[in-house]
Amino acid sequence: MDLVFLNLGFVYLRGVKKVQEIVAQEMFSKADLIRLLEAEGDDRQLLFEAAQAKKLEVVGKKVFFRGLVEFSNICSKDCLYCGIRKSNEKVVRYEASDDEILAACHFAWENHFGSVVLQSGELSSPVFINRVDRLVKSIKRLSNDELGITLSCGEQKPETYQRWFESGAHRYLLRIESSNADLYYKIHPNNPLHSFDKRLECLSSLKECGYQVGTGVMIGLPFQETGHLAEDLLFLKKLDVDMVGMGPYIEHEDTPLYAYRRQLASKQGRFDLALKMIAALRLLMPDINIAAATALQAIDPVGREKALKIGANVIMPNLTPCDFRKEYQLYEDKPCLDEDAELCRNCLEARIEMAGSEIGYGEWGDSKHFKGRTAQN
Ligand code: SAM
Ligand code: SF4
């Protein structure tokens, strides 16, 4: 902190707080978080070292696998950033069969992944709801109840969330995308199907059902300022979430948001900001699970490993059958398009060890925060 003047024997301090002081705090103001997100050079290094130390102290060096199965790209929504939005007619729509999905989950179980994530576009038809329910039960059966199941199938009614929970899903990912309502409506159509309030209601209904709740934001969006990201971090803290998955926004040419690509920071700049967000979040919420988002790897081939080093502790190897992967292009350069699951696993294992972490094989790797939160109730 800068010393600026002396008065009556007291040293008055003014100016910007030093990063060194901020990273030692337990509570963070919006200004503190902005300072961390804007840290460069030695300050940036200090932030990363503090987050790495906090991660090792609180959640240890284990990284947990969640085998990701992107089982359908059929979506009823039109989020302005997403390559598989309903109005993108260039996408060939697919639905993996139950057998294909269960084979991918069986691979995860045999390889001691601990958990799987079933992700898809958002549908709310009874056929879709019944199908997800059936899949959840089948995954539990095929793995002797051993695989943990995370769902990421968008906004649903409370009774649907409850039903899936009772069938065996125990974590749910639903990103808020941006916690600022104005920014939310710049990246979504402003209509009841894309309501910000509904998103918030879904997050609280997931919590009420008993799920471990994960959310997150995109980083480096057009119209987004550092202050928005600092508020996003405070939002995650206030919502008291158990897991966060957040990564850089990456443009896709067949989406409306592509028109604003010239306003964006460079991909490298967005990548770096995403790393700082992860590090700052680890300091703000030391005991949650933080995923190293796949979008990091689309920019830097070892992007996820860099995230693991400075705060993340979950990784989602892609188990989607290869034939479907090219049709789940949320953004350009999405990685691992033609690597099969076995190759993906071997390559990940080596990379994770190189990043100084160890894989928690066969463990659910539940969020420590969730255990603490539910023990209090
Ligand atoms: N349909 C579900 C939903 O929206 O929650 C799950 C699937 S959706 C494709 C998963 C996540 O992909 C979204 O929450 C969004 O953050 C991310 N995503 C979509 N388009 C993206 C883009 N262009 N860049 C980075 N992430 C993107
Ligand atoms: Fe559909 Fe999810 Fe993409 Fe939105 S982000 S268009 S809900 S798949």
Side-chain angles (χ1 to χ4, degrees), residues 75 79 81-84 119-122 152-155 173-175 177 199 216-218 247-252 295 328 330-332:
C75 189
C79 306
Y81 44 83
C82 179
I84 61 169
Q119 190 177 82
S120 67
E122 185 178 310
S152 174
C153 304
E155 293 169 22
L173 297 175
L174 182 71
R175 285 186 178 177
E177 316 294 0
R199 198 95 177 158
V217 296
M218 282 181 287
Y249 159 70
I250 303 177
E251 58 275 34
H252 186 299
Y328 205 86
L330 310 178
Y331 42 79
E332 58 193 31

PDB file of all heavy atoms in Angstrom, residues 75 79 81-84 119-122 152-155 173-175 177 199 216-218 247-252 295 328 330-332, ligand 1:
ATOM      1  N   CYS A  75     -31.648 -28.851 -29.086  1.00  0.00           N
ATOM      2  CA  CYS A  75     -31.897 -27.829 -28.056  1.00  0.00           C
ATOM      3  C   CYS A  75     -33.062 -26.941 -28.460  1.00  0.00           C
ATOM      4  O   CYS A  75     -33.205 -26.570 -29.621  1.00  0.00           O
ATOM      5  CB  CYS A  75     -30.640 -26.981 -27.868  1.00  0.00           C
ATOM      6  SG  CYS A  75     -30.804 -25.896 -26.440  1.00  0.00           S
ATOM      7  N   CYS A  79     -29.526 -19.454 -27.176  1.00  0.00           N
ATOM      8  CA  CYS A  79     -28.499 -18.628 -26.525  1.00  0.00           C
ATOM      9  C   CYS A  79     -27.587 -18.052 -27.631  1.00  0.00           C
ATOM     10  O   CYS A  79     -27.184 -18.785 -28.540  1.00  0.00           O
ATOM     11  CB  CYS A  79     -27.700 -19.473 -25.534  1.00  0.00           C
ATOM     12  SG  CYS A  79     -28.786 -20.315 -24.361  1.00  0.00           S
ATOM     13  N   TYR A  81     -24.647 -17.175 -27.984  1.00  0.00           N
ATOM     14  CA  TYR A  81     -23.218 -17.516 -28.082  1.00  0.00           C
ATOM     15  C   TYR A  81     -22.976 -18.952 -28.511  1.00  0.00           C
ATOM     16  O   TYR A  81     -21.858 -19.328 -28.838  1.00  0.00           O
ATOM     17  CB  TYR A  81     -22.561 -17.309 -26.696  1.00  0.00           C
ATOM     18  CG  TYR A  81     -23.396 -17.861 -25.561  1.00  0.00           C
ATOM     19  CD1 TYR A  81     -23.359 -19.204 -25.223  1.00  0.00           C
ATOM     20  CD2 TYR A  81     -24.268 -17.032 -24.850  1.00  0.00           C
ATOM     21  CE1 TYR A  81     -24.155 -19.714 -24.209  1.00  0.00           C
ATOM     22  CE2 TYR A  81     -25.072 -17.531 -23.830  1.00  0.00           C
ATOM     23  CZ  TYR A  81     -25.015 -18.873 -23.528  1.00  0.00           C
ATOM     24  OH  TYR A  81     -25.806 -19.383 -22.534  1.00  0.00           O
ATOM     25  N   CYS A  82     -23.994 -19.783 -28.484  1.00  0.00           N
ATOM     26  CA  CYS A  82     -23.768 -21.235 -28.510  1.00  0.00           C
ATOM     27  C   CYS A  82     -23.924 -21.826 -29.912  1.00  0.00           C
ATOM     28  O   CYS A  82     -24.957 -21.618 -30.579  1.00  0.00           O
ATOM     29  CB  CYS A  82     -24.760 -21.892 -27.544  1.00  0.00           C
ATOM     30  SG  CYS A  82     -24.597 -23.683 -27.506  1.00  0.00           S
ATOM     31  N   GLY A  83     -22.936 -22.599 -30.319  1.00  0.00           N
ATOM     32  CA  GLY A  83     -22.915 -23.183 -31.659  1.00  0.00           C
ATOM     33  C   GLY A  83     -24.033 -24.177 -31.928  1.00  0.00           C
ATOM     34  O   GLY A  83     -24.375 -24.426 -33.077  1.00  0.00           O
ATOM     35  N   ILE A  84     -24.620 -24.757 -30.870  1.00  0.00           N
ATOM     36  CA  ILE A  84     -25.690 -25.736 -31.126  1.00  0.00           C
ATOM     37  C   ILE A  84     -27.079 -25.145 -30.834  1.00  0.00           C
ATOM     38  O   ILE A  84     -28.048 -25.874 -30.658  1.00  0.00           O
ATOM     39  CB  ILE A  84     -25.466 -27.066 -30.356  1.00  0.00           C
ATOM     40  CG1 ILE A  84     -25.447 -26.868 -28.840  1.00  0.00           C
ATOM     41  CG2 ILE A  84     -24.172 -27.730 -30.810  1.00  0.00           C
ATOM     42  CD1 ILE A  84     -25.489 -28.191 -28.049  1.00  0.00           C
ATOM     43  N   GLN A 119     -24.594 -34.536 -20.407  1.00  0.00           N
ATOM     44  CA  GLN A 119     -24.899 -33.163 -20.828  1.00  0.00           C
ATOM     45  C   GLN A 119     -25.624 -33.157 -22.168  1.00  0.00           C
ATOM     46  O   GLN A 119     -25.368 -34.025 -23.016  1.00  0.00           O
ATOM     47  CB  GLN A 119     -23.605 -32.357 -20.945  1.00  0.00           C
ATOM     48  CG  GLN A 119     -23.865 -30.879 -21.144  1.00  0.00           C
ATOM     49  CD  GLN A 119     -22.585 -30.049 -21.189  1.00  0.00           C
ATOM     50  OE1 GLN A 119     -21.938 -29.961 -22.220  1.00  0.00           O
ATOM     51  NE2 GLN A 119     -22.232 -29.441 -20.078  1.00  0.00           N
ATOM     52  N   SER A 120     -26.477 -32.164 -22.355  1.00  0.00           N
ATOM     53  CA  SER A 120     -27.248 -32.101 -23.606  1.00  0.00           C
ATOM     54  C   SER A 120     -27.768 -30.691 -23.829  1.00  0.00           C
ATOM     55  O   SER A 120     -27.663 -29.821 -22.957  1.00  0.00           O
ATOM     56  CB  SER A 120     -28.451 -33.041 -23.505  1.00  0.00           C
ATOM     57  OG  SER A 120     -29.345 -32.556 -22.522  1.00  0.00           O
ATOM     58  N   GLY A 121     -28.387 -30.507 -24.983  1.00  0.00           N
ATOM     59  CA  GLY A 121     -29.186 -29.309 -25.199  1.00  0.00           C
ATOM     60  C   GLY A 121     -30.380 -29.361 -24.247  1.00  0.00           C
ATOM     61  O   GLY A 121     -30.603 -30.370 -23.577  1.00  0.00           O
ATOM     62  N   GLU A 122     -31.118 -28.256 -24.214  1.00  0.00           N
ATOM     63  CA  GLU A 122     -32.226 -28.197 -23.241  1.00  0.00           C
ATOM     64  C   GLU A 122     -33.559 -28.553 -23.900  1.00  0.00           C
ATOM     65  O   GLU A 122     -33.989 -27.913 -24.849  1.00  0.00           O
ATOM     66  CB  GLU A 122     -32.290 -26.787 -22.649  1.00  0.00           C
ATOM     67  CG  GLU A 122     -33.318 -26.674 -21.554  1.00  0.00           C
ATOM     68  CD  GLU A 122     -33.333 -25.287 -20.931  1.00  0.00           C
ATOM     69  OE1 GLU A 122     -32.262 -24.775 -20.551  1.00  0.00           O
ATOM     70  OE2 GLU A 122     -34.427 -24.716 -20.832  1.00  0.00           O
ATOM     71  N   SER A 152     -26.383 -32.169 -16.634  1.00  0.00           N
ATOM     72  CA  SER A 152     -26.279 -30.804 -17.144  1.00  0.00           C
ATOM     73  C   SER A 152     -27.216 -30.713 -18.340  1.00  0.00           C
ATOM     74  O   SER A 152     -26.795 -30.793 -19.485  1.00  0.00           O
ATOM     75  CB  SER A 152     -24.815 -30.524 -17.521  1.00  0.00           C
ATOM     76  OG  SER A 152     -24.678 -29.278 -18.135  1.00  0.00           O
ATOM     77  N   CYS A 153     -28.489 -30.626 -18.039  1.00  0.00           N
ATOM     78  CA  CYS A 153     -29.540 -30.683 -19.071  1.00  0.00           C
ATOM     79  C   CYS A 153     -30.440 -29.451 -18.981  1.00  0.00           C
ATOM     80  O   CYS A 153     -31.626 -29.506 -19.323  1.00  0.00           O
ATOM     81  CB  CYS A 153     -30.367 -31.961 -18.912  1.00  0.00           C
ATOM     82  SG  CYS A 153     -29.391 -33.466 -18.940  1.00  0.00           S
ATOM     83  N   GLY A 154     -29.881 -28.367 -18.477  1.00  0.00           N
ATOM     84  CA  GLY A 154     -30.581 -27.092 -18.529  1.00  0.00           C
ATOM     85  C   GLY A 154     -31.675 -26.898 -17.496  1.00  0.00           C
ATOM     86  O   GLY A 154     -31.721 -27.580 -16.469  1.00  0.00           O
ATOM     87  N   GLU A 155     -32.554 -25.928 -17.825  1.00  0.00           N
ATOM     88  CA  GLU A 155     -33.612 -25.525 -16.895  1.00  0.00           C
ATOM     89  C   GLU A 155     -34.782 -26.503 -16.975  1.00  0.00           C
ATOM     90  O   GLU A 155     -35.256 -26.821 -18.067  1.00  0.00           O
ATOM     91  CB  GLU A 155     -34.098 -24.118 -17.254  1.00  0.00           C
ATOM     92  CG  GLU A 155     -33.034 -23.072 -17.025  1.00  0.00           C
ATOM     93  CD  GLU A 155     -33.388 -21.718 -17.617  1.00  0.00           C
ATOM     94  OE1 GLU A 155     -34.585 -21.449 -17.844  1.00  0.00           O
ATOM     95  OE2 GLU A 155     -32.460 -20.928 -17.845  1.00  0.00           O
ATOM     96  N   LEU A 173     -25.178 -29.295 -12.970  1.00  0.00           N
ATOM     97  CA  LEU A 173     -24.452 -28.109 -13.462  1.00  0.00           C
ATOM     98  C   LEU A 173     -25.390 -27.227 -14.270  1.00  0.00           C
ATOM     99  O   LEU A 173     -25.975 -27.686 -15.253  1.00  0.00           O
ATOM    100  CB  LEU A 173     -23.321 -28.506 -14.416  1.00  0.00           C
ATOM    101  CG  LEU A 173     -22.174 -29.343 -13.899  1.00  0.00           C
ATOM    102  CD1 LEU A 173     -21.243 -29.703 -15.060  1.00  0.00           C
ATOM    103  CD2 LEU A 173     -21.405 -28.567 -12.835  1.00  0.00           C
ATOM    104  N   LEU A 174     -25.519 -25.995 -13.842  1.00  0.00           N
ATOM    105  CA  LEU A 174     -26.329 -25.035 -14.594  1.00  0.00           C
ATOM    106  C   LEU A 174     -25.639 -23.680 -14.458  1.00  0.00           C
ATOM    107  O   LEU A 174     -25.749 -23.014 -13.426  1.00  0.00           O
ATOM    108  CB  LEU A 174     -27.757 -24.982 -14.016  1.00  0.00           C
ATOM    109  CG  LEU A 174     -28.721 -24.045 -14.745  1.00  0.00           C
ATOM    110  CD1 LEU A 174     -29.113 -24.601 -16.122  1.00  0.00           C
ATOM    111  CD2 LEU A 174     -29.987 -23.829 -13.911  1.00  0.00           C
ATOM    112  N   ARG A 175     -24.914 -23.305 -15.496  1.00  0.00           N
ATOM    113  CA  ARG A 175     -24.181 -22.040 -15.389  1.00  0.00           C
ATOM    114  C   ARG A 175     -25.137 -20.846 -15.427  1.00  0.00           C
ATOM    115  O   ARG A 175     -26.085 -20.859 -16.214  1.00  0.00           O
ATOM    116  CB  ARG A 175     -23.206 -21.905 -16.561  1.00  0.00           C
ATOM    117  CG  ARG A 175     -21.975 -22.769 -16.458  1.00  0.00           C
ATOM    118  CD  ARG A 175     -21.048 -22.402 -17.598  1.00  0.00           C
ATOM    119  NE  ARG A 175     -19.805 -23.137 -17.568  1.00  0.00           N
ATOM    120  CZ  ARG A 175     -18.875 -23.013 -18.516  1.00  0.00           C
ATOM    121  NH1 ARG A 175     -19.062 -22.206 -19.544  1.00  0.00           N
ATOM    122  NH2 ARG A 175     -17.754 -23.694 -18.442  1.00  0.00           N
ATOM    123  N   GLU A 177     -24.006 -18.110 -16.434  1.00  0.00           N
ATOM    124  CA  GLU A 177     -23.386 -17.480 -17.634  1.00  0.00           C
ATOM    125  C   GLU A 177     -22.901 -16.060 -17.357  1.00  0.00           C
ATOM    126  O   GLU A 177     -21.762 -15.723 -17.654  1.00  0.00           O
ATOM    127  CB  GLU A 177     -24.292 -17.489 -18.875  1.00  0.00           C
ATOM    128  CG  GLU A 177     -25.033 -18.802 -19.140  1.00  0.00           C
ATOM    129  CD  GLU A 177     -24.163 -20.006 -19.492  1.00  0.00           C
ATOM    130  OE1 GLU A 177     -22.934 -19.875 -19.550  1.00  0.00           O
ATOM    131  OE2 GLU A 177     -24.715 -21.113 -19.696  1.00  0.00           O
ATOM    132  N   ARG A 199     -33.617 -18.713 -14.366  1.00  0.00           N
ATOM    133  CA  ARG A 199     -32.313 -19.352 -14.133  1.00  0.00           C
ATOM    134  C   ARG A 199     -32.000 -19.367 -12.635  1.00  0.00           C
ATOM    135  O   ARG A 199     -31.577 -20.372 -12.072  1.00  0.00           O
ATOM    136  CB  ARG A 199     -31.246 -18.540 -14.891  1.00  0.00           C
ATOM    137  CG  ARG A 199     -29.956 -19.236 -15.128  1.00  0.00           C
ATOM    138  CD  ARG A 199     -30.013 -19.840 -16.484  1.00  0.00           C
ATOM    139  NE  ARG A 199     -28.801 -20.495 -16.884  1.00  0.00           N
ATOM    140  CZ  ARG A 199     -28.789 -21.431 -17.830  1.00  0.00           C
ATOM    141  NH1 ARG A 199     -29.904 -21.813 -18.418  1.00  0.00           N
ATOM    142  NH2 ARG A 199     -27.672 -21.995 -18.177  1.00  0.00           N
ATOM    143  N   GLY A 216     -21.554 -21.350 -13.024  1.00  0.00           N
ATOM    144  CA  GLY A 216     -20.334 -20.727 -13.538  1.00  0.00           C
ATOM    145  C   GLY A 216     -20.678 -19.693 -14.582  1.00  0.00           C
ATOM    146  O   GLY A 216     -21.862 -19.468 -14.874  1.00  0.00           O
ATOM    147  N   VAL A 217     -19.652 -19.085 -15.120  1.00  0.00           N
ATOM    148  CA  VAL A 217     -19.854 -17.989 -16.072  1.00  0.00           C
ATOM    149  C   VAL A 217     -18.894 -18.141 -17.238  1.00  0.00           C
ATOM    150  O   VAL A 217     -17.930 -18.905 -17.161  1.00  0.00           O
ATOM    151  CB  VAL A 217     -19.604 -16.613 -15.383  1.00  0.00           C
ATOM    152  CG1 VAL A 217     -20.623 -16.366 -14.285  1.00  0.00           C
ATOM    153  CG2 VAL A 217     -18.178 -16.496 -14.836  1.00  0.00           C
ATOM    154  N   MET A 218     -19.184 -17.410 -18.309  1.00  0.00           N
ATOM    155  CA  MET A 218     -18.209 -17.327 -19.401  1.00  0.00           C
ATOM    156  C   MET A 218     -17.372 -16.066 -19.205  1.00  0.00           C
ATOM    157  O   MET A 218     -17.880 -15.031 -18.755  1.00  0.00           O
ATOM    158  CB  MET A 218     -18.935 -17.317 -20.744  1.00  0.00           C
ATOM    159  CG  MET A 218     -19.398 -18.704 -21.137  1.00  0.00           C
ATOM    160  SD  MET A 218     -20.223 -18.693 -22.723  1.00  0.00           S
ATOM    161  CE  MET A 218     -21.746 -17.921 -22.248  1.00  0.00           C
ATOM    162  N   GLY A 247     -15.153 -20.903 -17.883  1.00  0.00           N
ATOM    163  CA  GLY A 247     -14.053 -20.882 -18.837  1.00  0.00           C
ATOM    164  C   GLY A 247     -14.215 -19.734 -19.793  1.00  0.00           C
ATOM    165  O   GLY A 247     -15.206 -18.993 -19.736  1.00  0.00           O
ATOM    166  N   PRO A 248     -13.230 -19.586 -20.687  1.00  0.00           N
ATOM    167  CA  PRO A 248     -13.302 -18.466 -21.625  1.00  0.00           C
ATOM    168  C   PRO A 248     -14.455 -18.602 -22.606  1.00  0.00           C
ATOM    169  O   PRO A 248     -14.787 -19.720 -23.015  1.00  0.00           O
ATOM    170  CB  PRO A 248     -11.952 -18.549 -22.370  1.00  0.00           C
ATOM    171  CG  PRO A 248     -11.429 -19.917 -22.130  1.00  0.00           C
ATOM    172  CD  PRO A 248     -12.022 -20.402 -20.837  1.00  0.00           C
ATOM    173  N   TYR A 249     -15.063 -17.488 -22.947  1.00  0.00           N
ATOM    174  CA  TYR A 249     -16.013 -17.476 -24.063  1.00  0.00           C
ATOM    175  C   TYR A 249     -15.192 -17.580 -25.338  1.00  0.00           C
ATOM    176  O   TYR A 249     -14.175 -16.907 -25.496  1.00  0.00           O
ATOM    177  CB  TYR A 249     -16.820 -16.164 -24.042  1.00  0.00           C
ATOM    178  CG  TYR A 249     -17.439 -15.848 -25.390  1.00  0.00           C
ATOM    179  CD1 TYR A 249     -18.492 -16.621 -25.875  1.00  0.00           C
ATOM    180  CD2 TYR A 249     -16.945 -14.810 -26.189  1.00  0.00           C
ATOM    181  CE1 TYR A 249     -19.046 -16.364 -27.123  1.00  0.00           C
ATOM    182  CE2 TYR A 249     -17.498 -14.547 -27.432  1.00  0.00           C
ATOM    183  CZ  TYR A 249     -18.539 -15.328 -27.897  1.00  0.00           C
ATOM    184  OH  TYR A 249     -19.069 -15.083 -29.132  1.00  0.00           O
ATOM    185  N   ILE A 250     -15.641 -18.449 -26.235  1.00  0.00           N
ATOM    186  CA  ILE A 250     -14.973 -18.574 -27.534  1.00  0.00           C
ATOM    187  C   ILE A 250     -16.030 -18.404 -28.613  1.00  0.00           C
ATOM    188  O   ILE A 250     -17.085 -19.054 -28.572  1.00  0.00           O
ATOM    189  CB  ILE A 250     -14.272 -19.944 -27.674  1.00  0.00           C
ATOM    190  CG1 ILE A 250     -13.265 -20.120 -26.525  1.00  0.00           C
ATOM    191  CG2 ILE A 250     -13.556 -20.045 -29.017  1.00  0.00           C
ATOM    192  CD1 ILE A 250     -12.565 -21.460 -26.498  1.00  0.00           C
ATOM    193  N   GLU A 251     -15.745 -17.535 -29.553  1.00  0.00           N
ATOM    194  CA  GLU A 251     -16.745 -17.214 -30.566  1.00  0.00           C
ATOM    195  C   GLU A 251     -17.021 -18.395 -31.503  1.00  0.00           C
ATOM    196  O   GLU A 251     -16.158 -19.255 -31.697  1.00  0.00           O
ATOM    197  CB  GLU A 251     -16.308 -15.988 -31.385  1.00  0.00           C
ATOM    198  CG  GLU A 251     -14.980 -16.113 -32.096  1.00  0.00           C
ATOM    199  CD  GLU A 251     -13.777 -15.750 -31.213  1.00  0.00           C
ATOM    200  OE1 GLU A 251     -13.810 -16.005 -30.004  1.00  0.00           O
ATOM    201  OE2 GLU A 251     -12.790 -15.246 -31.780  1.00  0.00           O
ATOM    202  N   HIS A 252     -18.214 -18.385 -32.061  1.00  0.00           N
ATOM    203  CA  HIS A 252     -18.604 -19.406 -33.051  1.00  0.00           C
ATOM    204  C   HIS A 252     -19.246 -18.640 -34.205  1.00  0.00           C
ATOM    205  O   HIS A 252     -20.170 -17.854 -33.991  1.00  0.00           O
ATOM    206  CB  HIS A 252     -19.599 -20.386 -32.420  1.00  0.00           C
ATOM    207  CG  HIS A 252     -19.939 -21.541 -33.306  1.00  0.00           C
ATOM    208  ND1 HIS A 252     -20.541 -21.378 -34.528  1.00  0.00           N
ATOM    209  CD2 HIS A 252     -19.748 -22.875 -33.164  1.00  0.00           C
ATOM    210  CE1 HIS A 252     -20.711 -22.565 -35.104  1.00  0.00           C
ATOM    211  NE2 HIS A 252     -20.231 -23.490 -34.290  1.00  0.00           N
ATOM    212  N   ALA A 295     -13.009 -25.466 -22.564  1.00  0.00           N
ATOM    213  CA  ALA A 295     -12.726 -24.295 -23.408  1.00  0.00           C
ATOM    214  C   ALA A 295     -11.304 -23.769 -23.188  1.00  0.00           C
ATOM    215  O   ALA A 295     -10.714 -23.153 -24.084  1.00  0.00           O
ATOM    216  CB  ALA A 295     -13.753 -23.195 -23.145  1.00  0.00           C
ATOM    217  N   TYR A 328     -21.133 -31.345 -31.696  1.00  0.00           N
ATOM    218  CA  TYR A 328     -21.315 -30.685 -30.402  1.00  0.00           C
ATOM    219  C   TYR A 328     -20.282 -29.559 -30.318  1.00  0.00           C
ATOM    220  O   TYR A 328     -19.527 -29.443 -29.365  1.00  0.00           O
ATOM    221  CB  TYR A 328     -21.162 -31.686 -29.248  1.00  0.00           C
ATOM    222  CG  TYR A 328     -21.893 -31.279 -27.973  1.00  0.00           C
ATOM    223  CD1 TYR A 328     -23.236 -31.596 -27.781  1.00  0.00           C
ATOM    224  CD2 TYR A 328     -21.252 -30.576 -26.962  1.00  0.00           C
ATOM    225  CE1 TYR A 328     -23.908 -31.226 -26.630  1.00  0.00           C
ATOM    226  CE2 TYR A 328     -21.906 -30.198 -25.797  1.00  0.00           C
ATOM    227  CZ  TYR A 328     -23.237 -30.530 -25.631  1.00  0.00           C
ATOM    228  OH  TYR A 328     -23.906 -30.164 -24.470  1.00  0.00           O
ATOM    229  N   LEU A 330     -19.693 -26.220 -29.581  1.00  0.00           N
ATOM    230  CA  LEU A 330     -20.253 -25.038 -28.929  1.00  0.00           C
ATOM    231  C   LEU A 330     -19.524 -23.783 -29.398  1.00  0.00           C
ATOM    232  O   LEU A 330     -20.067 -22.692 -29.435  1.00  0.00           O
ATOM    233  CB  LEU A 330     -20.087 -25.155 -27.414  1.00  0.00           C
ATOM    234  CG  LEU A 330     -20.563 -26.462 -26.781  1.00  0.00           C
ATOM    235  CD1 LEU A 330     -20.284 -26.463 -25.298  1.00  0.00           C
ATOM    236  CD2 LEU A 330     -22.042 -26.634 -27.060  1.00  0.00           C
ATOM    237  N   TYR A 331     -18.240 -23.960 -29.743  1.00  0.00           N
ATOM    238  CA  TYR A 331     -17.376 -22.828 -30.128  1.00  0.00           C
ATOM    239  C   TYR A 331     -16.308 -23.381 -31.048  1.00  0.00           C
ATOM    240  O   TYR A 331     -16.153 -24.608 -31.176  1.00  0.00           O
ATOM    241  CB  TYR A 331     -16.740 -22.189 -28.878  1.00  0.00           C
ATOM    242  CG  TYR A 331     -16.247 -23.203 -27.870  1.00  0.00           C
ATOM    243  CD1 TYR A 331     -15.033 -23.877 -28.050  1.00  0.00           C
ATOM    244  CD2 TYR A 331     -17.012 -23.526 -26.750  1.00  0.00           C
ATOM    245  CE1 TYR A 331     -14.603 -24.821 -27.132  1.00  0.00           C
ATOM    246  CE2 TYR A 331     -16.578 -24.471 -25.829  1.00  0.00           C
ATOM    247  CZ  TYR A 331     -15.371 -25.104 -26.028  1.00  0.00           C
ATOM    248  OH  TYR A 331     -14.948 -26.043 -25.129  1.00  0.00           O
ATOM    249  N   GLU A 332     -15.557 -22.483 -31.692  1.00  0.00           N
ATOM    250  CA  GLU A 332     -14.563 -22.965 -32.651  1.00  0.00           C
ATOM    251  C   GLU A 332     -13.376 -23.631 -31.934  1.00  0.00           C
ATOM    252  O   GLU A 332     -13.111 -23.354 -30.774  1.00  0.00           O
ATOM    253  CB  GLU A 332     -14.089 -21.817 -33.562  1.00  0.00           C
ATOM    254  CG  GLU A 332     -13.500 -20.636 -32.843  1.00  0.00           C
ATOM    255  CD  GLU A 332     -13.325 -19.397 -33.723  1.00  0.00           C
ATOM    256  OE1 GLU A 332     -14.109 -19.176 -34.670  1.00  0.00           O
ATOM    257  OE2 GLU A 332     -12.372 -18.646 -33.454  1.00  0.00           O
TER     258      GLU A 332
HETATM  259  N1  SAM B   1     -27.852 -26.904 -22.420  1.00  0.00           N
HETATM  260  C1  SAM B   1     -27.297 -26.959 -21.124  1.00  0.00           C
HETATM  261  C2  SAM B   1     -27.089 -25.572 -20.557  1.00  0.00           C
HETATM  262  O1  SAM B   1     -27.086 -24.601 -21.316  1.00  0.00           O
HETATM  263  O2  SAM B   1     -26.940 -25.489 -19.334  1.00  0.00           O
HETATM  264  C3  SAM B   1     -25.968 -27.712 -21.059  1.00  0.00           C
HETATM  265  C4  SAM B   1     -25.143 -27.683 -22.287  1.00  0.00           C
HETATM  266  S1  SAM B   1     -24.433 -26.102 -22.685  1.00  0.00           S
HETATM  267  C5  SAM B   1     -23.746 -26.403 -24.231  1.00  0.00           C
HETATM  268  C6  SAM B   1     -23.036 -26.081 -21.564  1.00  0.00           C
HETATM  269  C7  SAM B   1     -22.276 -24.794 -21.463  1.00  0.00           C
HETATM  270  O3  SAM B   1     -21.567 -24.539 -22.670  1.00  0.00           O
HETATM  271  C8  SAM B   1     -23.086 -23.543 -21.261  1.00  0.00           C
HETATM  272  O4  SAM B   1     -23.441 -23.377 -19.913  1.00  0.00           O
HETATM  273  C9  SAM B   1     -22.138 -22.447 -21.763  1.00  0.00           C
HETATM  274  O5  SAM B   1     -21.507 -21.753 -20.692  1.00  0.00           O
HETATM  275  C10 SAM B   1     -21.085 -23.229 -22.559  1.00  0.00           C
HETATM  276  N2  SAM B   1     -20.914 -22.605 -23.889  1.00  0.00           N
HETATM  277  C11 SAM B   1     -21.820 -22.546 -24.873  1.00  0.00           C
HETATM  278  N3  SAM B   1     -21.338 -21.818 -25.904  1.00  0.00           N
HETATM  279  C12 SAM B   1     -20.093 -21.414 -25.554  1.00  0.00           C
HETATM  280  C13 SAM B   1     -19.105 -20.602 -26.177  1.00  0.00           C
HETATM  281  N4  SAM B   1     -19.301 -20.070 -27.373  1.00  0.00           N
HETATM  282  N5  SAM B   1     -17.932 -20.397 -25.521  1.00  0.00           N
HETATM  283  C14 SAM B   1     -17.730 -20.957 -24.298  1.00  0.00           C
HETATM  284  N6  SAM B   1     -18.634 -21.699 -23.648  1.00  0.00           N
HETATM  285  C15 SAM B   1     -19.812 -21.922 -24.265  1.00  0.00           C
END
